């Protein structure tokens, strides 16, 4: 125990890089174990692997809005992750991830699930995990090129939180000629991250079905998919007065596309929602989408441009540059967010200087 704690401290302080290997790049939520321990063969299990990353940014707000209120510029530790994963047997592995900078104790534990490798090309996850919907939310923030996720990712492509507690099945099937059928589904409580009791009798279901093709000659990856979600959750009012809490029943639909080429990456998502307030019978049906284009120059840098829209309340251009591939131990982003519309009025533009390190 003392040895493990010492190793973790060294990794956080960055003093053990001569002995510790850099963590492998975080894979997307639809990936499965590629080299499992061979069943039936007595093999010494590897020691738990400790890895993680840290993201820090400087934000400057520009007074471009229609009011006189402007946010102060600030430095922020956006994310810190410490992850531990390993194999318990030929068929069972685990993953736990913490966020020690979470402003609330309920956000410290992120991933916490056991994975069963009993089905061909599929993993069964049991515990707290990401819900399966779309492209951007399933992808780790370490692999993205914008500091902030698109508005649709926060407002349509998830429930109470991006993570929830339940069971997931994630995998793919080979169809031939470099084509794979991707399938992923999660059945969760719907109460949100680290909430141990389900607050409604209904479970929430999220899923995605897609096709993926890689051309080994051009190294071109193409992926398209459709997603859906259905369930309910409690929308909290005054924390001291549960009488104003309401139950929302929802249905979410979405489509996503990714084209990843050695010289560029294009991603886009479109999503719709139908949220019904069961107390008032009011129905909200927002629509959102984004398109994102990233240039890739050698050795590892390039420009970026994204436009995202959520209903008629939010429009934003994001453009800038990136340096360092997602798998690199150090990478940086420059983002300029031009907020054309925020809640019906012109918003303040934001400039972000962002730094990420892996350990």
């Amino acid at each position: 125990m003392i040895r493990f704690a010492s190793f973790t401290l060294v990794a956080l302080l960055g003093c053990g890089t001569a002995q510790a290997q850099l963590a492998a790049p975080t894979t997307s939520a639809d990936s499965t174990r590629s080299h499992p321990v061979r069943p039936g063969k007595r093999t010494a299990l590897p020691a738990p692997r400790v890895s993680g990353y840290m993201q820090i940014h400087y934000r400057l707000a520009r007074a471009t809005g229609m009011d006189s209120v402007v946010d102060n510029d600030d430095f922020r530790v956006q994310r810190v992750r410490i992850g531990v994963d390993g194999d318990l047997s030929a068929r069972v592995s685990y993953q736990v991830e913490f966020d020690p900078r979470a402003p609330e104790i309920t956000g410290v534990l992120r991933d916490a699930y056991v994975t069963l490798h009993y089905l061909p090309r599929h993993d069964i996850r049991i515990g707290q995990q990401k819900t399966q919907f779309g492209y951007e939310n399933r992808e780790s923030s370490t692999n993205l090129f914008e500091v902030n996720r698109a508005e649709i990712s926060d407002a349509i492509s998830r429930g109470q939180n991006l993570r929830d507690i339940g069971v997931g099945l994630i995998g793919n099937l080979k169809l031939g000629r470099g084509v794979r059928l991707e399938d992923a589904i999660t059945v969760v409580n719907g109460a949100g991250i680290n909430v141990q009791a389900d607050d409604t009798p209904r479970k929430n279901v999220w899923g995605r079905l897609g096709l993926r093709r890689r051309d080994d000659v051009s190294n071109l990856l193409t992926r398209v998919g459709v997603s859906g979600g259905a369930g309910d959750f409690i929308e909290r009012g005054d924390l001291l007065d549960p009488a104003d809490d309401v139950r929302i029943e929802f249905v979410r639909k979405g489509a996503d596309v990714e084209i990843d080429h050695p010289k560029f990456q294009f991603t886009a998502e479109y999503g719709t929602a139908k949220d019904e307030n069961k107390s008032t019978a009011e129905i909200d049906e927002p629509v959102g989408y984004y398109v994102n284009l990233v240039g890739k120059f050698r050795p590892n840098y390039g420009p970026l441009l994204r436009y995202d829209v959520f209903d008629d309340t939010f429009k934003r251009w994001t453009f800038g540059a990136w340096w360092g591939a997602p798998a690199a131990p150090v990478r940086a982003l420059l983002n300029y967010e031009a907020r054309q519309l925020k809640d019906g009025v012109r918003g303040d533009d934001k400039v972000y200087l962002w730094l990420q390190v892996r350990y």
Side-chain angles (χ1 to χ4, degrees), residues 273-337:
K274 181 180 180 179
D275 296 351
E276 180 179 357
N277 186 321
K278 301 306 291 184
S279 297
T280 65
E282 295 180 352
I283 296 178
D284 186 24
E285 296 182 292
V287 175
Y289 67 89
Y290 73 82
V291 290
N292 186 41
L293 181 62
V294 177
K296 299 179 180 180
F297 301 157
R298 293 185 178 182
N300 279 309
Y301 67 95
L304 60 93
L305 176 65
R306 184 184 70 187
Y307 181 59
D308 67 293
V309 174
F310 179 71
D311 221 24
D312 58 354
T313 63
F314 185 88
K315 295 179 182 179
R316 173 177 58 183
W317 286 94
T318 303
F319 55 92
W322 63 276
W323 172 83
V330 181
R331 66 187 301 238
L333 301 176
L334 169 63
N335 281 188
Y336 187 103
E337 294 185 352

Side-chain angles (χ1 to χ4, degrees), residues 30-349:
D30 61 343
S31 63
T32 56
R33 182 200 286 190
S34 57
H35 301 289
V37 179
R38 182 174 299 173
K41 186 176 182 179
R42 292 177 177 251
T43 306
L45 297 176
R49 297 174 290 270
V50 181
S51 61
Y53 60 90
M54 179 167 52
Q55 297 171 352
I56 303 171
H57 71 235
Y58 170 73
R59 183 189 65 172
L60 174 66
R62 301 187 64 245
T64 56
M66 299 174 65
D67 55 30
S68 59
V69 179
V70 182
D71 293 337
N72 295 326
D73 63 314
D74 56 18
F75 293 95
R76 180 184 180 187
V77 179
Q78 185 183 22
R79 293 182 183 91
V80 176
R81 297 288 192 268
I82 302 172
V84 181
D85 68 276
D87 298 307
L88 297 176
S89 70
R91 298 293 192 182
V92 182
S93 62
Y94 64 89
Q95 182 165 324
V96 181
E97 185 183 71
F98 301 95
D99 180 3
R101 46 109 347 249
E104 299 179 356
I105 189 64
T106 54
V108 172
L109 180 64
R110 312 300 287 185
D111 291 331
Y113 57 83
V114 174
T115 305
L116 306 180
H117 311 279
Y118 286 94
L119 300 178
R121 304 187 66 84
H122 285 75
D123 288 344
I124 301 172
R125 294 180 182 173
I126 304 173
Q128 185 160 283
Q129 58 194 285
K130 286 186 176 182
T131 50
Q132 300 296 308
F133 190 102
Y135 166 79
E136 192 177 71
N137 269 354
R138 297 184 312 119
E139 196 71 34
S140 168
S141 64
T142 61
N143 298 333
L144 301 178
F145 292 89
E146 282 79 24
V147 174
N148 297 310
R149 296 184 190 270
E151 192 73 6
I152 183 180
S153 298
D154 291 330
I156 290 181
S157 303
R158 63 178 69 175
Q160 291 280 61
N161 307 106
L162 177 54
R163 290 171 172 83
D164 213 316
I165 304 173
V167 179
L169 177 66
I170 298 97
N172 61 77
L173 298 172
K174 286 186 176 181
L175 301 181
R177 297 188 178 183
V179 179
R180 295 181 183 181
L181 174 68
E182 299 179 321
D183 56 283
I185 186 171
T186 41
V187 181
V188 296
N189 288 336
I193 188 171
N194 293 318
V195 179
Q196 301 303 309
D198 195 349
D199 50 9
T200 70
R202 182 178 179 182
K203 291 293 181 284
N204 292 357
V205 181
W206 299 87
R208 179 183 179 273
L209 189 65
L211 290 173
R212 172 187 182 274
R213 182 181 186 275
R214 179 179 290 280
D215 187 331
D216 292 332
V217 177
S218 63
N219 201 21
L220 173 66
L221 173 68
T222 306
R223 177 184 280 136
V224 295
V226 293
S227 300
D232 63 354
F233 61 88
I234 300 298
E235 189 174 83
R236 305 295 178 185
D238 188 342
L239 296 179
L240 301 178
D241 183 14
D244 60 358
D245 294 348
V246 297
R247 186 169 70 91
I248 306 295
E249 285 192 353
F250 69 86
V251 175
R252 309 285 170 82
K253 300 175 183 178
D256 62 87
V257 60
E258 176 191 10
I259 302 174
D260 195 1
H261 186 271
K263 294 185 178 181
F264 71 91
Q265 182 194 57
F266 173 80
T267 55
E269 287 190 63
Y270 176 85
T272 65
K274 181 180 180 179
D275 296 351
E276 180 179 357
N277 186 321
K278 301 306 291 184
S279 297
T280 65
E282 295 180 352
I283 296 178
D284 186 24
E285 296 182 292
V287 175
Y289 67 89
Y290 73 82
V291 290
N292 186 41
L293 181 62
V294 177
K296 299 179 180 180
F297 301 157
R298 293 185 178 182
N300 279 309
Y301 67 95
L304 60 93
L305 176 65
R306 184 184 70 187
Y307 181 59
D308 67 293
V309 174
F310 179 71
D311 221 24
D312 58 354
T313 63
F314 185 88
K315 295 179 182 179
R316 173 177 58 183
W317 286 94
T318 303
F319 55 92
W322 63 276
W323 172 83
V330 181
R331 66 187 301 238
L333 301 176
L334 169 63
N335 281 188
Y336 187 103
E337 294 185 352
R339 297 169 182 254
Q340 290 186 308
L341 190 68
K342 175 67 174 176
D343 296 328
V345 299
R346 174 74 163 89
D348 291 332
D349 292 352

Side-chain angles (χ1 to χ4, degrees), residues 6-17 54 359:
S6 301
F7 179 82
T8 304
L9 180 61
V10 169
L12 285 172
L13 296 177
C15 300
T17 53
M54 179 167 52
Y359 43 83

